[in-house]
Amino acid sequence: MSARTWTVLELLRWTAGHFESRGIEGARLDAECLLAHALGCERLRLYLDFDKPVEDAERARFRELVRRRADERVPVALLTGSREFWSLRLAVEPGVLVPRPETETLVGAALELFPESEAELRILDLGTGSGAVALALARERPKARVTATDVSPRALALAARNAESLGLADRVRFLAGDLFAPVRGERFDLVVSNPPYVAEAEAAALAPELGHEPGEALFAGRDGTDVLLRIAAEADEAVAEDGAVAVEIGAGQEAVVREGFEESGFGPTALHRDLAGKPRVLTARRRAARGGGI
Ligand SMILES: C[S@@+](CC[C@H](N)C(=O)[O-])C[C@H]1O[C@@H](n2cnc3c(N)ncnc32)[C@H](O)[C@@H]1O
């Protein structure tokens, strides 16, 4: 990016090529998001302004964003400070997991379990992070009351800010603590979670972008199932009769997690695939309590 005058289109072409040469997937989209952020406009506006020259100050801002994306592999959302999830614009920040598109499969599967939009559901989201899943469910089920827990005070503060800015704060409460601990004794119709599920052994092989995400949001023991299996074991006490659970899982975890839920009184289970066709979400209904004999 030399000191001559550059147009929007020239900057996009140069940057997309630069990102591609550094092995960044979705290079053109990343370039567009960062340029729109530097110019303070919507991404689609760039298409109307392809021939417009970019001022020096704007180009300097953009150059710094491009450097951090390419050299430090900072994810685009952390550079722009926001991410769209289930059509909700969420603030994101370092130290809190950036919500992933795959997690929209979890929201879809949870809604399928309770299709009636006016249902007065009690919903619990374990490990809420930015609040993505809790807030998407609160938006889709306007009579639901949602509780969201996390061990990270930073995540809870961000999630509460997101709830406020989306006008959902009166129906979502945020509680600090380990999984079900902050809601001991309460019952929920629906428990959802996208918990940490990456195997510690895989840490070295992960994309460099994940180095910018908090470890406590990613890793869960040797094979990644520690937190999922704790959720399965403890869900029995928290899920109401006729209630259900939906959890996001990683590759190869389906059988062991399914067994965990079946052992603690859930079934049948169902597997949901994400848009890439990968097994991504397991749902399970609570088995009806056996009636006592006469
Ligand atoms: C994979 S992130 C998911 C965040 C968010 N639900 C999403 O889908 O974008 C997992 C979250 O669980 C939280 N977490 C990890 N262990 C936990 C535990 N034992 N109890 C509660 N939250 C936990 C992390 O702080 C992190 O915010």
Side-chain angles (χ1 to χ4, degrees), residues 249-264:
I249 57 171
Q253 296 176 342
E254 178 195 341
V256 60
V257 176
R258 170 173 277 159
E259 203 179 298
F261 277 107
E262 283 173 354
E263 270 173 16
S264 77

Side-chain angles (χ1 to χ4, degrees), residues 208-219:
E209 279 76 3
L210 284 172
H212 295 273
E213 303 280 13
E216 68 187 348
L218 298 176
F219 300 108

Side-chain angles (χ1 to χ4, degrees), residues 34-206:
L34 294 179
L35 185 55
H37 183 66
L39 299 180
C41 69
E42 292 294 320
R43 184 171 68 84
L44 295 181
R45 176 81 221 172
L46 301 176
Y47 283 77
L48 302 174
D49 289 345
F50 270 165
D51 297 326
K52 210 167 150 183
V54 175
E55 285 172 19
D56 287 351
E58 294 166 331
R59 193 156 54 85
R61 262 203 309 276
F62 181 55
R63 197 187 302 115
E64 177 59 8
L65 294 168
V66 170
R67 186 193 66 72
R68 296 195 65 204
R69 179 77 192 99
D71 298 351
E72 297 171 19
R73 300 301 282 258
V74 181
V76 166
L78 290 180
L79 292 171
T80 62
S82 77
R83 175 64 165 250
E84 192 164 313
F85 179 85
W86 199 266
S87 298
L88 305 175
R89 182 154 293 279
L90 298 172
V92 299
E93 63 179 36
V96 182
L97 189 99
V98 175
R100 302 292 197 269
E102 304 90 89
T103 302
E104 293 183 338
T105 309
L106 176 64
V107 175
L111 293 173
E112 264 179 43
L113 287 166
F114 293 94
E116 195 205 321
S117 67
E118 296 299 300
E120 294 181 10
L121 299 170
R122 295 159 295 174
I123 299 175
L124 173 64
D125 175 25
L126 300 168
T128 198
S130 63
V133 176
L135 297 173
L137 292 174
R139 172 59 61 84
E140 294 292 334
R141 294 291 176 266
K143 296 208 170 139
R145 303 202 76 80
V146 182
T147 303
T149 72
D150 207 293
V151 281
S152 158
R154 187 162 193 178
L156 289 168
L158 176 69
R161 280 207 308 282
N162 279 325
E164 196 68 50
S165 68
L166 293 167
L168 296 167
D170 57 332
R171 286 189 297 113
V172 188
R173 71 180 166 147
F174 296 98
L175 302 174
D178 177 34
L179 296 186
F180 296 97
V183 292
R184 214 43 99 209
E186 292 185 45
R187 293 263 171 168
F188 298 88
D189 304 296
L190 171 63
V191 173
V192 293
S193 185
N194 170 22
Y197 59 71
V198 180
E200 269 151 18
E202 283 171 25
L206 293 177

Side-chain angles (χ1 to χ4, degrees), residues 12-37:
L12 286 177
R13 284 196 179 134
W14 186 90
T15 307
H18 179 56
F19 284 167
E20 248 166 48
S21 72
R22 303 303 269 301
I24 292 175
E25 277 178 39
R28 169 71 186 224
L29 181 60
D30 281 10
E32 291 180 7
C33 290
L34 294 179
L35 185 55
H37 183 66

